[in-house]
Amino acid sequence: MSGDGFSDTGMIVFFVTMLVMSGGLMVATCTTALFARRHRLLKALGVFLGGGILGVPVLIVATAVAMYI
């Protein structure tokens, strides 16, 4: 790895992955906050944190793919 950074295609892959992950996470969090029956805030916070933790490997793979495209 020479440290050249992302190519144009790699940047597109990375940004699309970031947009999809953050959009899906926000939709899931807002849906939980609106439609949960009890402890809405705690459930929404759990969905947000859990989605963030589960999303980290996806972003690592997307970064690796974007670096080599």
Side-chain angles (χ1 to χ4, degrees), residues 5 8-9 13 20 26-27 29 31-32 36 39-42 44-46 48-49 52-53 55 57 63-64 66:
D8 291 338
T9 307
V13 168
V20 169
M26 291 309 297
V27 167
T29 302
T31 303
T32 303
H39 307 293
R40 291 179 183 208
L41 185 60
L42 289 175
L45 181 62
F48 184 74
L49 292 176
I53 290 169
T63 304

Side-chain angles (χ1 to χ4, degrees), residues 2-4 8-11 22 24-25 28 32 35 44-45 47 56 62 64 66 69:
S2 62
D4 294 335
D8 291 338
T9 307
M11 284 298 270
S22 61
L25 186 58
T32 303
F35 297 113
L45 181 62
V47 168
V56 168
I69 289 182

Side-chain angles (χ1 to χ4, degrees), residues 6 13 61 66:
F6 294 154
V13 168
V61 170

